[in-house]
Amino acid sequence: MLPVQEPEYFMKRKIIIIISVFILLVGVEVSGRPLSSELDKMTADEMAPLALEDSMYYHFDEWFGRFQGEINRLESSPPSLENRVELMKYYFNYTGLLGELTHALAFTSKYKIKKVSADFLAYSNRVKDLAHEILDDDSKTLGQEAQAALFLGAAEGYIGIFEYGQGNLFEALVNGFQADNHLEQALQLNPSLVDGYFGLGMYRYGNSRLGGIGNFLMQGGKDLRQVGLNHIEHAILKGASALPLAMKTLAWFYISEQINPKNKDLPVEHPLSQTKTRQNAWALLIELESRYFKGPAPYPHFKGNKEIAMMKALQYVLDKNYTEAGVEFKKVLKISEHLKSRGLAINPQLTSSVEAGIKFCELMQWEKQDDTQNSCLKVQEQIDFLKSGGSMVEYDSKKIRSELHAIFSDALQELTEKMHC
């Protein structure tokens, strides 16, 4: 297993994250995006972080077009090793953008668009096939071998996550195991490929957090949550090309740890305590807002990022700040409606879940209402909604979903006692 730094106390971690990310990025062009003529001359490695950043603003079409254009060019070019390496990267860039599109559309195991899912698997498998070809080529350099292992592991990780969401546990485990091996191989060959730490971090944390047979088979049942979090943090500090995705992921993981029953009795100074994970989540959410969403919108069609708003809504719920939570839930609803107006097929369940979240927040501010009896009836309606399988947040993992369910359910039960319903 690759070495990782020991857990740090929050204040040091927060300062390092914010200052280091700023220092790493001040040299990047932030006053305006590159001109079209400049983009035409860029490599796959140079385009990838720009496309991922634009996905934060739901700006997809231009990048799908650019990636497909480069794929067409390289597929018709001589099959040199250099061309195959670049083609592998463009296949992966296309896959990654499709992955972000599935988040924007709020895919779950119950809701997906067949073409998007089919394309996602097709391009992921193209990455795998080309990576294997490169690894089997005796003329490859050490650098090309490391890159092939990195993109192979990343594609396998993507497929593993996708298959898990579809309920295909065996396929998810196989791809996850292969991803782990190939990402470690890539980092052993070239430790500067820091995006590998992001992939490994997701794998280590995700397996440990979900537990069960998957963690037993893949990690011997070990609790590697902190190892995973440290890996992702390392990728952020070193300026991974998938920086916005890594920051979003780490913020969500810290929110996830606040609802984790295993952390309930941890001392405050423990890095996974509710106090520390709350501080870390807010530090990342504030940094994301500052980095990507301050100032004029980069595109006229951008009305806000619903994933960030949803994470803030959940964090405010955990903080029992229901006024601000309601504001963020309403942002999610407004952004979703705007994306629908642009033709994006957003999961209809997202709307009903968010509307339930708004009602929940309004009920939790019952002191502002005079009619206690009527409020009691509304609270009971929300409790019945949850008992019947309703949810304020859609999530595929039964474990995480039940933990989120408990947060809302327990708050409503406490409210009924407070109101003497």
Side-chain angles (χ1 to χ4, degrees):
M1 186 180 298
L2 291 164
V4 295
Q5 297 176 343
E6 290 299 315
E8 299 172 294
Y9 286 110
F10 163 70
M11 289 307 296
K12 182 178 178 183
R13 174 180 291 161
K14 178 179 176 182
I15 292 170
I16 290 175
I17 287 178
I18 294 176
I19 293 178
S20 297
V21 170
F22 176 77
I23 290 174
L24 282 164
L25 294 175
V26 290
V28 178
E29 180 60 47
V30 294
S31 60
R33 70 193 302 276
L35 298 173
S36 180
S37 58
E38 295 172 321
L39 289 170
D40 291 340
K41 299 174 184 177
M42 287 186 176
T43 64
D45 288 336
E46 292 169 330
M47 285 191 190
L50 296 174
L52 268 182
E53 183 169 333
D54 270 2
S55 74
M56 300 280 279
Y57 312 117
Y58 307 114
H59 188 76
F60 294 107
D61 291 347
E62 177 187 1
W63 291 106
F64 279 128
R66 283 191 174 277
F67 291 159
Q68 190 60 59
E70 288 300 306
I71 287 169
N72 294 343
R73 179 183 67 80
L74 288 163
E75 285 180 338
S76 61
S77 298
S80 66
L81 186 56
E82 290 75 13
N83 283 345
R84 281 183 287 161
V85 169
E86 192 74 354
L87 180 57
M88 171 189 68
K89 293 177 181 179
Y90 274 113
Y91 282 150
F92 185 79
N93 287 356
Y94 203 102
T95 299
L97 205 57
L98 284 168
E100 289 308 290
L101 178 60
T102 66
H103 295 318
L105 300 178
F107 272 30
T108 66
S109 58
K110 297 178 181 178
Y111 178 81
K112 52 187 174 292
I113 297 171
K114 287 184 179 180
K115 185 180 186 314
V116 176
S117 298
D119 285 348
F120 178 84
L121 284 175
Y123 279 90
S124 296
N125 282 305
R126 289 179 192 177
V127 176
K128 289 178 63 174
D129 292 342
L130 259 183
H132 280 299
E133 283 184 28
I134 295 164
L135 290 172
D136 291 339
D137 193 319
D138 293 335
S139 67
K140 65 183 179 297
T141 65
L142 190 64
Q144 290 169 334
E145 182 180 1
Q147 289 186 333
L150 173 69
F151 284 93
L152 176 57
E156 289 164 338
Y158 261 142
I159 294 173
I161 294 170
F162 179 85
E163 294 293 359
Y164 178 85
Q166 303 305 299
N168 302 322
L169 182 59
F170 179 75
E171 289 83 354
L173 289 175
V174 169
N175 278 281
F177 183 75
Q178 292 171 335
D180 185 75
N181 289 337
H182 288 126
L183 290 172
E184 283 209 332
Q185 177 188 352
L187 289 168
Q188 287 166 356
L189 291 168
N190 185 357
S192 68
L193 296 174
V194 294
D195 284 272
Y197 282 102
F198 174 36
L200 274 181
M202 291 182 65
Y203 180 79
R204 299 273 189 263
Y205 177 85
N207 262 333
S208 300
R209 183 68 174 88
L210 297 177
I213 189 171
N215 191 43
F216 177 76
L217 293 175
M218 298 294 102
Q219 299 180 162
K222 295 178 182 177
D223 184 355
L224 300 180
R225 286 176 295 153
Q226 189 63 62
V227 173
L229 295 172
N230 288 348
H231 275 324
I232 301 173
E233 186 174 299
H234 179 74
I236 291 171
L237 294 176
K238 294 298 182 181
S241 64
L243 183 66
L245 181 55
M247 293 179 72
K248 282 197 303 180
T249 301
L250 189 58
W252 166 244
F253 285 172
Y254 279 130
I255 291 172
S256 170
E257 283 305 300
Q258 291 172 67
I259 65 172
N260 189 345
K262 292 180 70 173
N263 300 338
K264 185 178 180 180
D265 298 320
L266 292 178
V268 172
E269 65 273 12
H270 193 285
L272 292 180
S273 71
Q274 291 181 349
T275 298
K276 297 293 184 183
T277 51
R278 175 187 179 275
Q279 290 171 329
N280 288 343
W282 270 123
L284 284 157
L285 289 170
I286 290 168
E287 178 62 25
L288 279 162
E289 288 275 9
S290 176
R291 170 61 189 162
Y292 298 106
F293 307 116
K294 273 194 174 179
Y299 300 101
H301 61 65
F302 180 67
K303 303 301 180 184
N305 185 288
K306 65 179 177 63
E307 289 82 8
I308 302 300
M310 178 61 84
M311 284 195 287
K312 289 178 70 176
L314 287 174
Q315 186 58 63
Y316 277 127
V317 167
L318 295 175
D319 294 347
K320 300 186 185 302
N321 185 343
Y322 301 112
T323 300
E324 292 300 324
V327 169
E328 296 300 327
F329 274 126
K330 288 175 183 176
K331 283 183 185 178
V332 176
L333 193 60
K334 183 177 179 181
I335 295 167
S336 298
E337 292 304 316
H338 170 71
L339 293 176
K340 289 179 185 177
S341 73
R342 286 179 49 199
L344 275 72
I346 306 295
N347 184 350
Q349 184 60 46
L350 177 65
T351 298
S352 58
S353 295
V354 173
E355 287 175 342
I358 294 170
K359 289 180 182 178
F360 166 83
C361 292
E362 290 172 347
L363 287 172
M364 295 306 294
Q365 301 172 67
W366 73 277
E367 293 93 341
K368 298 178 182 179
Q369 304 173 32
D370 296 327
D371 189 351
T372 300
Q373 183 177 0
N374 187 46
S375 294
C376 283
L377 292 174
K378 291 180 179 179
V379 172
Q380 189 58 50
E381 286 177 3
Q382 281 272 290
I383 293 173
D384 292 341
F385 168 76
L386 290 173
K387 286 183 177 179
S388 64
S391 174
M392 282 72 167
V393 183
E394 289 298 306
Y395 203 80
D396 270 330
S397 165
K398 291 181 180 179
K399 181 177 183 180
I400 305 296
R401 188 168 63 246
S402 66
E403 291 171 5
L404 286 167
H405 186 282
I407 295 297
F408 291 94
S409 180
D410 291 350
L412 289 168
Q413 292 293 347
E414 289 178 12
L415 182 59
T416 60
E417 295 174 9
K418 186 177 180 181
M419 295 170 67
H420 304 292
C421 291

